[in-house]
Amino acid sequence: MSAISAESQVQKMLSIIYQIPMGLVEATKDGGITAMNAKSIQLLMPLFHIHKLKGNNINHLLSVIAPQVLAAAQQFVPANGNVIKQVRQEIPVTHANGSDTDLCFLFTVEKLDEDQFTYVFDDVTELYHKEKELNQMIEDKAIEQLNKFEIASGLLHDIGNAVVGFGSYITKIKRSIEQKNDITTLQSLKTFVEKNQVALAGALGEKKSKAIAELLDGVITNQESNLTEVRNSVTDQMKIISHIQEILNIQRQYVKGHYIERATVSVRDLINDSVSMLANSFEKRGINLGLQISSDMVQIKGDRTKLMQVFLNLLKNAADSVVQLENPEQAKEINVAVGRGKTSVKVIIQDNGRGFDEATGAKLFTRGYTTKAEGTGLGLANCKNIIEGHNGQIYLTSAGVGQGATSVVIFNI
Amino acid sequence: MNLTFNDPSLPEWLETSSEKDYDNLPFGVVKMNYDGVVTNYSKGQSDLSGVSKENARGKHFFTQVAPCTNNFMVAEKYKSDSLDEIMPYMFTYITLPTPVELRLIKGSKGNQYLLAKNA
């Protein structure tokens, strides 16, 4: 290759560099620009102009628009090498007409030797703004989603409360029809009439006294069949309620964790509602439930739905434990006591069920650990999370297998 | 020809003169149509930029001949209806930065001009 054609090759190369659609600047350590291509002038001149700089020293400009890039170059210790690669730099620009725009450049800086640096920069402003828009859209969407969750959660919560009230009302009806019906009275009257048949026949005549006995019979049969009907319909209603509660619980699983409610929660209502929610199933399983709540109860700040989950879980665990007693004759007892100290509220749930040994006790709150055939091992682990999230403590104690167990929840107030 | 770079009569003179006249000026002249396509590229301009007359003529000035001017400081200004403005700028002779002074002129008959001299 002759000298002339080699030179023209260099010229060609230079003109390619000149036209490259990316800013290229070669400068001394002090920032004096020794070479620059067209794109670099196109991109930098407006910035030099806005900041009233001469346009021959890149350090002057970098100190204003990208101080980190300048610092990286100045503090780069090795004799040569890559200083930074594709570092994103946002550049706020205020135009003469007062309008603001944000530019975004990608900077790559190479140190050639002690006194020579090359600065390569790419204008990615358009990409940057599109990304920003996209992020905003994603954020808006997430907020919208969160709002939906809040509405759903609130709705489930309200329906849940209404259903709890409804359930305890039905339980009350059931109790009252079992205890306070007129059949027993009628039956004693019938026995009385039968016993005194002779005397009555003497007074009223045989036909009339017989008619009275028959009438009583008819009334009793009628009452009994009415009662059976009411009883069946109450049972059906209770089934429907537990079905609704199951559905609600499943739905709650979906929305829980999406937001934490910090409303005022009455400890009394919390325990009362949890107990009445399970009263029906306890009764069916022959469990005696004792409840004692001291009169000076307070309100705490928290997520009612989640706290309710905790107490339902503890009560269900106690129930599962007492129905496993070896001696079926032994009374199945669960006692709930709620007391108040100066700085805390303490809920104690005591059962006379199976209990547990020390080794089991150590693992009870471990996620994934379960003693139940169908358990997931998530119940108590979740309880602990929820209670600790409410600035409280939870622990379980047992004197050993067969000795019953005690769950204690303490809220600091 | 004793016209100076900032002579007020320059815009009118440019409209009626030829490339030969431009070649005699002590500064560079680029004549282009409103679309930015170069019709005249004076010797002075060639000396400043390192771009030959042949390589400049018929090309789009702001994107092909001098992409360094394709921004709101220079190219965008030609979008206004009338323009005669002098400003400091930077050219590169190949890649060597050269401080220049630019005079941007928009003529009324379909032509616009970019004048440049060493600062």
Side-chain angles (χ1 to χ4, degrees), chain A residues 223-237:
Chain A
Q223 283 285 316
E224 271 173 348
S225 99
N226 279 349
L227 188 62
T228 313
E229 233 170 77
V230 174
R231 203 183 276 140
N232 287 345
S233 112
V234 166
T235 312
D236 284 348
Q237 295 213 36

Side-chain angles (χ1 to χ4, degrees), chain A residues 47 51 65-66 89-93 101-105 107 128:
Chain A
L47 293 171
H51 295 291
I65 63 159
Q89 179 69 48
E90 288 163 28
I91 304 165
V93 173
T101 42
D102 267 348
L103 296 178
C104 188
F105 287 3
F107 276 97
Y128 165 77

Side-chain angles (χ1 to χ4, degrees), chain A residues 262-273:
Chain A
R262 286 273 176 231
T264 314
V265 183
S266 147
V267 181
R268 175 191 297 276
D269 291 354
L270 199 63
I271 303 299
N272 266 334
D273 288 351

